[in-house]
Amino acid sequence: MAPSILIIGATGNTGRSVTETLPKLLKATKSLSNHRVIGLTRSLDSAVAKQLAKVPGVEMVEQNWVEITADWLRKHEVVRAFIASHNAPNQFAEESTFHLAALKAGVKYVVRISTTAANVRPDCDAYYPRAHWAIEALLSSPEFSNLQWTSLQANIFSPFYLSTAAEFIKRYRKTGTQDTLKLMAAKDAPVGIVDPDEVGRFAAFLLSQDDTTVHNKAKYVLNGPEDITGGQIVNMVEQHTGTKVQHISYEDMSFVDSFLEPGSLGAQQSKNVILSMKYALMTAWEGKCTASTTSKEVLQLAAPKRTPADTLMALLEV
């Protein structure tokens, strides 16, 4: 077998784009053209897994990533990896276990998905950015010096940010009636929301570099090409519906309450921990997450191009 590049979360938000983009990039390299791309999935029977299995150069493997060991990585000759972890309260335990296995297996380079850059700090009120900060601190330690890594501090994903606007438009078109338009966005704060496919595309460019040394220990900030405010989202909704929105709830994080319901993210978890997610967008509301904060390396390698208007149109077509 040939050396491989492992994509954890291949069927997810960012991993799908990594898996689709990487094989073509590898063919153009000097040292990686013979490398295989292994995409992980929890089910080979899923529609996305079947679609990705048709991509030339991609091998889809059914494997729960949290159970990967150093022996598994050696067996599959993994030399580079991409990981988009979950954001459940046990994220640090499970993701750090993977990185330790990668270190012991001699994996050379890992690209990981982090979260909004302004939140990745030890005193963030929301719990999961603290986990990302802890992972980056672990990888920065001398003990992990043999494992090169890059952390992608991506802004909030645009389909998620605009989902309630799309639902409002669809409902109005179907019924001609309105309820309250609930937006995570603040009315006047500009935010550089980013498309997850473009985050994955940038990750693929990193993984296809012949020499990753220049990107080692880098924490790249990724935003979309332009900012949008809550007020501008309302304007887009009114353009699509042809009528004025009557009731708007800005900075609305009430959906987090549903995470405490049985079978959801917060089931059997600390209520305080789960509800801390309501504070995740405070930095955005404070104007700290604009498109201007995008790292120059992102703009040089694979600058995001999809605008909020593009994303909303795509959501309306689903």
Side-chain angles (χ1 to χ4, degrees):
M1 290 193 299
S4 67
I5 300 177
L6 177 67
I7 312 300
I8 293 175
T11 60
N13 281 331
T14 53
R16 184 187 311 191
S17 180
V18 179
T19 309
E20 292 173 337
T21 305
L22 185 57
K24 292 181 181 179
L25 296 176
L26 293 179
K27 289 181 180 180
T29 66
K30 296 179 180 179
S31 60
L32 305 170
S33 58
N34 69 326
H35 283 46
R36 300 174 295 140
V37 174
I38 297 177
L40 288 197
T41 179
R42 282 176 289 185
S43 173
L44 290 171
D45 292 327
S46 74
V48 177
K50 289 180 178 179
Q51 179 182 0
L52 292 175
K54 298 177 182 179
V55 177
V58 171
E59 174 189 356
M60 294 300 294
V61 173
E62 194 170 276
Q63 170 69 42
N64 188 342
W65 73 266
V66 302
E67 297 175 357
I68 286 177
T69 64
D71 285 341
W72 189 97
L73 293 169
R74 293 190 195 98
K75 177 183 176 181
H76 290 82
E77 299 182 56
V78 176
V79 293
R80 296 184 180 185
F82 168 86
I83 177 169
S85 179
H86 57 75
N87 65 350
N90 62 339
Q91 175 195 342
F92 177 83
E94 294 189 334
E95 187 177 344
S96 64
T97 296
F98 169 77
H99 292 304
L100 182 59
L103 176 69
K104 292 184 174 181
V107 174
K108 302 300 182 184
Y109 181 53
V110 172
V111 176
R112 64 177 300 274
I113 297 295
S114 182
T115 191
T116 307
N119 285 350
V120 185
R121 60 181 201 272
D123 65 340
C124 184
D125 288 319
Y127 77 86
Y128 65 90
R130 298 196 301 268
H132 284 293
W133 171 84
I135 289 289
E136 292 175 357
L138 175 141
L139 292 172
S140 298
S141 67
E143 291 83 356
F144 275 79
S145 59
N146 288 333
L147 177 62
Q148 293 190 0
W149 59 277
T150 303
S151 198
L152 305 187
Q153 297 179 338
N155 205 343
I156 188 168
F157 291 156
S158 49
F160 180 51
Y161 203 69
L162 298 174
S163 61
T164 54
E167 290 166 6
F168 183 96
I169 295 168
K170 289 179 179 180
R171 189 181 307 112
Y172 181 81
R173 288 175 172 175
K174 184 176 182 180
T175 68
T177 61
Q178 295 188 25
D179 52 13
T180 300
L181 174 58
K182 297 181 179 180
L183 299 175
M184 289 177 275
K187 182 178 181 179
D188 299 314
V191 182
I193 56 177
V194 65
D195 188 278
D197 283 347
E198 297 192 309
V199 176
R201 182 170 176 268
F202 177 69
F205 271 82
L206 291 176
L207 289 165
S208 66
Q209 299 298 298
D210 286 304
D211 183 7
T212 59
T213 304
V214 67
H215 303 293
N216 185 29
K217 296 183 173 63
K219 304 170 188 177
Y220 292 141
V221 180
L222 290 95
N223 301 289
E226 63 184 46
D227 295 320
I228 191 166
T229 66
Q232 289 171 325
I233 295 175
V234 173
N235 290 340
M236 288 199 301
V237 170
E238 291 178 343
Q239 289 172 7
H240 281 280
T241 59
T243 189
K244 184 174 180 60
V245 178
Q246 299 298 322
H247 303 287
I248 308 163
S249 177
Y250 292 109
E251 301 179 22
D252 193 314
M253 299 294 287
S254 58
F255 66 89
V256 174
D257 293 328
S258 67
F259 294 164
L260 293 173
E261 296 174 356
S264 63
L265 172 70
Q268 299 181 335
Q269 301 289 344
S270 164
K271 181 178 179 180
N272 283 351
V273 170
I274 297 302
L275 292 183
S276 73
M277 296 177 74
K278 291 189 176 184
Y279 301 106
L281 286 179
M282 288 183 65
T283 50
W285 301 335
E286 294 167 351
K288 297 178 180 178
C289 306
T290 62
S292 64
T293 63
T294 301
S295 297
K296 66 179 187 304
E297 291 84 357
V298 176
L299 300 177
Q300 292 168 350
L301 276 180
K305 298 178 181 178
R306 184 170 293 184
T307 67
D310 294 334
T311 297
L312 184 59
M313 284 297 297
L315 290 173
L316 293 175
E317 293 170 358
V318 176

